[in-house]
Amino acid sequence: MSQVHVIDHPMIQHKLTIMRNKETGSKDFRQLLTEIAMLMGYEVTRDLPLVDVEIETPICPMTAKKVSGRKLAIVPILRAGIGMVDGLLSLVPVAKVGHIGLYRNEETHKPVVYFCKLPEDIQERLVILTDPMLATGGSACDALAMLKERGCNNIRLMCLVAAPEGIAKVQAQHPDVDIFVAAVDEHLNPNAYIVPGLGDAGDRIFGTK
Ligand code: PRP
Ligand code: URA
């Protein structure tokens, strides 16, 4: 069974509260999501493999540690997952970035695929799949299945707010994928929106409503 890591650092909770507030506009919403993604990135990358490198300090030569960051790929689920990419790239600037385009059908709430472009060597990389919202879990599960069809076997899912229903679905369908979230909310409403949540993440990031 995959693990759920709730990253409830006070700075993350503080920033998330501002994001949840309906009075917060797109500019601040985007900025805060970037900042939270960077902070969450510390935990998501906590056990990244290190490699030895030989360097010289001003005092003497030494064998030091470096993250082997070229083995990482960040894959946002479009659109809203894009809002978490820059924060992660500020931690691992050499990571490659793929994109999976999915939207939820407004009536069925089922995801529809419209785009997939991934790094050629994606199957060799640790993949961090990003999406701020894990609601029914349909989009995340389909994106995870697409990554696995392309040979990925080392994937982490990074979300901002999750519903218990979404977590349960990912754990049932993808027990090998650990989930990192800043908050687990109460439930879904009849429109499959997270309660209390923060509304439609894509619309709030891009100002489309
Ligand atoms: C939102 C969100 C997730 C999905 C979560 O995207 O960003 O991708 O819904 O819902 P689920 O867990 O029930 O699948 P949306 O379909 O609204 O597309 P958008 O990001 O382009 O606005
Ligand atoms: N997608 C969102 O953007 N918000 C929700 O609450 C659920 C799905």
Side-chain angles (χ1 to χ4, degrees):
M1 170 74 78
S2 69
Q3 283 186 21
V4 180
H5 307 259
V6 182
I7 307 174
D8 56 359
H9 188 285
M11 291 316 303
I12 294 178
Q13 297 308 306
H14 176 87
K15 290 174 193 293
L16 175 57
T17 297
I18 303 172
M19 291 183 74
R20 288 185 190 273
N21 189 331
K22 65 179 185 184
E23 304 300 336
T24 299
S26 287
K27 176 174 167 288
D28 289 340
F29 191 92
R30 269 197 303 271
Q31 176 65 34
L32 289 159
L33 183 56
T34 298
E35 291 170 10
I36 292 177
M38 190 195 71
L39 295 170
M40 290 183 74
Y42 279 107
E43 287 305 318
V44 180
T45 58
R46 175 174 282 282
D47 60 352
L48 279 195
L50 293 168
V51 290
D52 286 345
V53 287
E54 303 301 325
I55 60 163
E56 281 188 37
T57 75
I59 309 297
C60 67
M62 74 172 284
T63 305
K65 302 283 182 197
K66 259 181 106 174
V67 167
S68 144
R70 290 184 197 287
K71 289 288 163 211
L72 198 87
I74 303 163
V75 178
I77 299 179
L78 309 183
R79 296 172 300 166
I82 291 175
M84 303 177 96
V85 173
D86 283 351
L88 286 173
L89 279 177
S90 63
L91 279 185
V92 192
V94 295
K96 290 201 174 171
V97 181
H99 296 86
I100 293 180
L102 288 173
Y103 69 87
R104 292 199 316 179
N105 178 295
E106 283 183 7
E107 273 145 35
T108 64
H109 308 140
K110 295 265 187 299
V112 181
V113 182
Y114 62 88
F115 189 75
C116 182
K117 183 80 182 170
L118 300 169
E120 271 183 358
D121 59 354
I122 188 88
Q123 69 285 348
E124 293 165 22
R125 294 174 176 266
L126 164 65
V127 178
I128 302 178
L129 180 66
T130 65
D131 193 330
M133 310 308 281
L134 182 61
T136 65
S139 304
C141 282
D142 283 11
L144 289 166
M146 289 167 72
L147 289 168
K148 288 180 180 178
E149 276 165 22
R150 287 156 180 84
C152 300
N153 58 14
N154 190 8
I155 314 172
R156 293 172 189 183
L157 174 63
M158 179 171 146
C159 304
L160 185 64
V161 179
E165 295 90 328
I167 290 175
K169 187 166 191 155
V170 172
Q171 286 188 314
Q173 294 191 14
H174 299 282
D176 55 311
V177 175
D178 276 6
I179 305 168
F180 295 78
V181 290
V184 180
D185 277 9
E186 291 164 18
H187 57 90
L188 297 176
N189 72 13
N191 289 327
Y193 274 81
I194 299 174
V195 180
L198 47 71
D200 188 304
D203 284 338
R204 294 197 65 188
I205 292 169
F206 297 108
T208 37
K209 253 186 200 158

